[in-house]
Amino acid sequence: MNDSATIARPTPTKTEHFEVLIVGAGISGVAAGYHLQQQCPGTSFVALECQESFGGTWLTHKYPGIRSDSDLYTFGYRFKPWIGPPIATAEEIRKYMGEVIAENDLARHIRYKHRIDSASWSSADKLWTVEAHRADSGERLRFTCNFLWMCQGYYRHEEGYTPHWDGMEDFKGTIVHPQTWPEDLDYTDKRVLVIGSGATAATVVPAMAGTAKHVTMLQRSPTFFRIGRNGIQIADELRELGVKEEWVHEITRKKILYEQFALTQRSKAEPEKVREELLTNVRANLPDGYDVDKHFNPRYRPWSQRIAFVPDGDVFAGIRAGKASVVTDEIERFVEKGVLLKSGQVLEADIIVTATGFNLCALGDIAFEIDGKALNFGDTITYRGMMFTGIPNMIWVFGYFRASWTLRSELIADFTCRLLRHMKDKGAREVEVVLRPEDKDMKLSAWMDDDDFNPGYMKRGVHLWPKRGDKKEWAHTQNYWREKDEIPAIDLDGAEFAYHWRRNDGAPT
């Protein structure tokens, strides 16, 4: 919950009303605005973004080398062809998003520097009331809307996750987290220690290695890496043949999706074969005799945590050149000159980068109330990872871990627009998901199946999130290849959807 929501503030002087209020102007929020405008023409909407511009992650993260770890043929929108390298920089992604906003006249719907403090649902009025303030001036603002579309992401942009280690105050150098990277940090000729081995570390290490004196990646346990050229052969060939970019985008997108599906299926059916294939590729990119099993062979099976893609093998090029190295060990404590490991080795450093993940947040840390009662998001049950029992007229966007986030953003956008049109056709003012009679006794579990996907950030914060049931309707399956068919086929008049109207005398039914 956002502490600022509990502080007494001046009452806003006016209230603006929109049919739909979108929270966030990142990749999901821009998709929501586009599809709402295309599929529900005439619907009034606004997108509130707390940052000074659009982009979400690609705006707030400014660490060296920041890039996508999904290809832009699937991370890009289905309606706008991507024509650059599949792995793109933050600047390239924001340029692409800016073109979407400009080409579709979305800028007039987006309000920047608008931070939401609270959202309250009234069953009597069939409305959400959203209290917000301007991040720059502190001006208090109030909005009402019929429907909330939550596109704010799932972690706190203001702060990353840094564990506490003994002796951190003894270290005489600089400690930084990638999520709050100082723009004036000079690492020229400095010894840099990067703690962590996920996608962020795989980006930071090669980006700093050319300038720093040396970069060491310290990991408690290895991560799976997939190495490939930052290019797609079929896309290159189609362009040489003069095929339209729209066709290149769609054909390449389908090929990538097929290959992702095949890898995911094989990771479950024959995990040791997939493991060996990944490790063989890593060995081919490292000097003979390098201890690959120690530093690059994880304890978990492939795809039970995200596989980090390394374009053109840049991390391994730094290792071969002697500009970067990997140490697999645990931290005993920080010391004046760096980090003391449990093995007794001291890693000396001038700068320590804690690429240790992020903090999950529930509903953007916004204080939610339903009919005057504070909402505990963890008490709800999810419907397909996008709606929740006890929360009317709200959609929440949460993407995929094994496929690109945008794929699900657009599936949910299609569903939301269809739901809004359906409500309009029925004359309904309210919709919520409810357990059917056959669901009442189903087993409930945590949001994610720990055996299926278990990164540290999810384990740390999963208690904040809704429960899932043991039926596909009441879980976020993380399976695009099923959901691409299942979500469009959802029966909006099924027993899990409860609609409410208002009688002519104004009283709710």
Side-chain angles (χ1 to χ4, degrees):
M1 182 176 291
N2 189 338
D3 292 338
S4 64
T6 65
I7 299 173
R9 299 180 185 273
T11 302
T13 56
K14 67 174 183 177
T15 300
E16 290 187 82
H17 178 76
F18 297 90
E19 290 171 85
V20 177
L21 190 148
I22 298 167
V23 180
I27 201 82
S28 302
V30 171
Y34 171 85
H35 287 290
L36 189 58
Q37 193 164 262
Q38 295 292 316
Q39 300 185 43
C40 299
T43 299
S44 64
F45 70 95
V46 67
L48 302 185
E49 168 58 57
C50 65
Q51 302 296 330
E52 67 272 16
S53 188
F54 62 88
T57 294
W58 309 110
L59 174 67
T60 59
H61 290 190
K62 296 179 170 63
Y63 56 83
I66 178 172
R67 64 192 181 196
S68 63
D69 64 343
S70 296
D71 70 277
L72 262 293
Y73 288 94
T74 60
F75 189 77
Y77 301 115
R78 70 185 187 220
F79 56 84
K80 181 174 173 61
W82 175 256
I83 59 174
I87 301 301
T89 66
E91 182 180 359
E92 290 168 333
I93 294 169
R94 288 198 70 244
K95 180 177 181 291
Y96 172 83
M97 293 178 67
E99 291 171 357
V100 170
I101 291 170
E103 291 165 2
N104 298 283
D105 194 24
L106 292 175
R108 63 193 175 95
H109 296 285
I110 306 174
R111 311 274 182 92
Y112 297 114
K113 300 181 181 178
H114 280 54
R115 183 173 294 277
I116 298 174
D117 299 309
S118 64
S120 304
W121 169 259
S122 167
S123 295
D125 298 327
K126 301 288 189 285
L127 287 176
W128 284 101
T129 297
V130 173
E131 303 282 354
H133 69 275
R134 286 287 303 253
D136 50 358
S137 66
E139 178 189 1
R140 301 300 303 159
L141 306 159
R142 176 177 291 156
F143 302 86
T144 58
C145 64
N146 305 96
F147 205 92
L148 265 182
W149 198 331
M150 304 295 292
C151 300
Q152 80 294 334
Y154 63 109
Y155 65 89
R156 294 192 180 99
H157 286 272
E158 293 84 358
E159 58 170 1
Y161 171 71
T162 299
H164 175 76
W165 289 285
D166 289 341
M168 291 180 77
E169 65 282 358
D170 298 331
F171 177 58
K172 298 302 182 184
T174 302
I175 301 174
V176 299
H177 191 284
Q179 203 167 310
T180 50
W181 194 271
E183 293 188 18
D184 61 350
L185 182 66
D186 182 9
Y187 52 89
T188 305
D189 245 6
K190 300 290 179 66
R191 297 166 300 176
V192 179
L193 174 62
V194 178
I195 302 175
S197 61
T200 301
T203 299
V204 168
V205 169
M208 300 181 78
T211 304
K213 183 176 182 180
H214 190 83
V215 182
T216 302
M217 184 174 78
L218 170 62
Q219 58 183 10
R220 185 171 52 187
S221 60
T223 294
F224 279 116
F225 290 99
R226 187 166 61 90
I227 306 164
R229 183 175 72 92
N230 192 13
I232 305 292
Q233 183 175 346
I234 192 171
D236 297 340
E237 292 173 348
L238 290 170
R239 289 192 176 106
E240 288 178 7
L241 294 171
V243 175
K244 294 192 302 183
E245 285 296 343
E246 290 81 3
W247 290 14
V248 174
H249 184 76
E250 184 62 19
I251 293 168
T252 305
R253 184 181 175 95
K254 287 186 180 300
K255 175 177 169 56
I256 292 170
L257 287 171
Y258 174 80
E259 291 173 348
Q260 287 176 346
F261 176 69
L263 178 60
T264 301
Q265 294 297 96
R266 290 188 60 230
S267 294
K268 291 183 178 180
E270 44 187 29
E272 293 312 307
K273 285 187 178 180
V274 172
R275 178 190 299 273
E276 190 50 41
E277 289 170 9
L278 292 169
L279 295 183
T280 296
N281 204 359
V282 168
R283 289 188 187 98
N285 281 269
L286 288 170
D288 290 342
Y290 192 93
D291 195 344
V292 170
D293 279 338
K294 179 177 180 180
H295 299 303
F296 293 103
N297 190 2
R299 294 188 291 261
Y300 54 86
R301 66 168 174 78
W303 263 137
S304 60
Q305 295 186 25
R306 194 167 176 88
I307 297 176
F309 182 72
V310 182
D312 300 320
D314 56 9
V315 169
F316 303 98
I319 295 173
R320 291 197 307 273
K323 297 291 289 181
S325 56
V326 178
V327 174
T328 304
D329 205 330
E330 294 189 45
I331 295 173
E332 179 68 32
R333 63 177 290 114
F334 277 48
V335 293
E336 182 177 330
K337 293 185 177 181
V339 168
L340 171 65
L341 303 179
K342 291 193 174 178
S343 64
Q345 180 185 3
V346 173
L347 294 178
E348 295 189 357
D350 303 300
I351 298 171
I352 295 178
V353 179
T354 56
T356 44
F358 45 80
N359 291 307
L360 292 181
C361 70
L363 294 173
D365 288 334
I366 296 167
F368 269 77
E369 287 186 351
I370 308 294
D371 292 326
K373 183 180 179 181
L375 171 68
N376 184 344
F377 199 37
D379 288 341
T380 69
I381 302 169
T382 185
Y383 175 75
R384 299 183 185 270
M386 59 185 180
M387 296 179 74
F388 309 92
T389 55
I391 311 180
N393 288 25
M394 191 189 83
I395 288 286
W396 186 51
V397 178
F398 192 97
Y400 296 114
F401 294 118
R402 298 186 182 97
S404 87
W405 187 273
T406 316
L407 293 169
R408 196 163 202 267
S409 296
E410 294 197 271
L411 276 179
I412 292 177
D414 291 340
F415 170 81
T416 305
C417 292
R418 187 162 69 95
L419 179 62
L420 292 171
R421 295 195 304 268
H422 192 67
M423 292 176 69
K424 186 174 182 180
D425 291 344
K426 294 170 74 76
R429 294 284 303 278
E430 178 184 343
V431 63
E432 61 180 314
V433 289
V434 296
L435 297 182
R436 303 161 299 189
E438 62 266 32
D439 302 324
K440 297 293 185 182
D441 296 323
M442 70 177 171
K443 181 182 176 183
L444 299 180
S445 307
W447 171 269
M448 291 297 296
D449 180 354
D450 193 54
D451 291 333
D452 182 50
F453 195 77
N454 52 31
Y457 62 83
M458 186 64 67
K459 289 182 172 183
R460 288 194 302 272
V462 73
H463 63 283
L464 301 171
W465 286 20
K467 304 295 186 293
R468 64 182 168 91
D470 59 5
K471 300 180 180 180
K472 66 180 182 180
E473 296 90 347
W474 302 104
H476 180 5
T477 65
Q478 279 293 326
N479 189 331
Y480 165 74
W481 302 275
R482 252 178 53 184
E483 289 195 325
K484 69 181 178 61
D485 299 319
E486 290 180 355
I487 289 180
I490 291 172
D491 179 4
L492 296 179
D493 286 317
E496 65 268 38
F497 295 98
Y499 296 93
H500 303 281
W501 292 260
R502 290 173 67 88
R503 295 200 303 262
N504 290 334
D505 61 6
T509 58

